[in-house]
Amino acid sequence: MTGEQEQVGALGPLVGYHLRRAFGAFAADFASAMEGTGMRQVLVGILAVVSGSPGINQGAVGRVLGIKRANMVSLINELVDMKLIERVVDPGDRRAFALTLTDAGARMLADCLARIEAHERAMLAGFSDAERATLLELLGRIERRDPAAG
């Protein structure tokens, strides 16, 4: 048993424990990387999805990102208030809103993605390209087991 495993006892061999700890490290570094932007992971995710699918409605964005419908309205309002997203009535479905990035939203997304790339390079500095690809593949396999994601 390694020293760390002795300290955490029965938690040492548990994958979920290590995933939580790794997420905590990633989240703290992410927050540091985003400092001064006013952006959080969920907001960057929404900008990225809207950028990739201009005119998408907020319900579809929520489904893609696994965000509950009740939370989407306030998140979209936040991005609208920041003038990063425009929300217009969808001409194909007057009950829905079509979302597009503003020019400021596109600039913010580009800045955030550059910061995230630097953050991930730093966090994964000891990983080879093959190890990074393996990590992504393994995490994807776990993610696909989530019934809420399907």
Side-chain angles (χ1 to χ4, degrees):
M1 213 184 254
T2 69
E4 179 193 342
Q5 286 178 323
E6 288 173 5
Q7 291 176 340
V8 298
L11 298 176
L14 298 178
V15 173
Y17 168 76
H18 293 285
L19 281 172
R20 185 187 63 74
R21 295 289 306 264
F23 173 76
F26 248 79
D29 193 70
F30 181 92
S32 177
M34 292 294 110
E35 198 168 305
T37 66
M39 298 297 288
R40 303 183 311 279
Q41 287 176 329
V42 67
L43 298 178
V44 175
I46 293 169
L47 289 181
V49 170
V50 172
S51 174
S53 300
I56 191 170
N57 70 51
Q58 66 190 39
V61 174
R63 283 189 297 281
V64 167
L65 295 174
I67 300 170
K68 292 182 173 139
R69 185 179 187 98
N71 297 332
M72 278 303 296
V73 173
S74 64
L75 292 168
I76 296 300
N77 285 345
E78 190 173 345
L79 290 166
V80 168
D81 291 346
M82 294 169 76
K83 300 190 181 341
L84 301 177
I85 282 187
E86 289 181 340
R87 173 178 46 198
V88 297
V89 174
D90 185 337
D93 180 357
R94 303 209 39 88
R95 298 167 297 161
F97 291 104
L99 305 173
T100 57
L101 288 187
T102 63
D103 290 343
R107 286 190 302 275
M108 177 64 80
L109 179 60
D111 178 47
C112 288
L113 291 176
R115 290 168 182 250
I116 291 167
E117 287 171 17
H119 144 76
E120 289 205 353
R121 265 194 315 278
M123 292 297 295
L124 300 174
F127 287 63
S128 68
D129 289 344
E131 288 171 326
R132 185 179 188 282
T134 298
L135 178 60
L136 286 171
E137 197 275 324
L138 293 171
L139 291 171
R141 284 171 48 190
I142 293 169
E143 181 182 351
R144 288 187 294 278
R145 290 182 154 277
D146 179 4

